Amino acid sequence: MTHEASTEPQGLTVGNLLNLPPVTDVVTAGKAFGMGSTKAYQLAKAGQFPCKVVRVGGSYRVVTADMLRVLCVPESTEDAAAA
């Protein structure tokens, strides 16, 4: 049995980030920070995720605006082009 390396990018592009809804899941936010799902959930449960996480029932949601602020992502693609 062989294991092939994934050709999919590990993180998210600025365009991907700017197209996210107002809140996103912990796995997607973890990808933005370059971490896997297990680490993202560990940090969220411990209250140590790098940006604001909201508990909704049994799930965790990340506030996209706060994630963008922490990642220093401009609010629009025009701002990103100027940077």
Side-chain angles (χ1 to χ4, degrees), residues 7-75:
T7 57
E8 209 172 294
Q10 295 299 312
L12 299 173
T13 66
V14 171
N16 295 142
L17 292 169
L18 292 173
N19 286 321
L20 289 173
V23 292
T24 191
D25 60 277
V26 171
V27 174
T28 300
K31 284 181 184 178
F33 286 103
M35 66 182 82
S37 60
T38 302
K39 185 65 171 180
Y41 276 111
Q42 286 174 346
L43 292 174
K45 288 178 185 177
Q48 297 179 340
F49 203 80
C51 62
K52 185 169 176 88
V53 176
V54 179
R55 179 98 188 227
V56 180
S59 63
Y60 295 94
R61 295 287 180 238
V62 174
V63 178
T64 302
D66 193 50
M67 178 178 62
L68 295 176
R69 181 188 58 77
V70 171
L71 291 170
C72 298
V73 174
E75 294 182 22

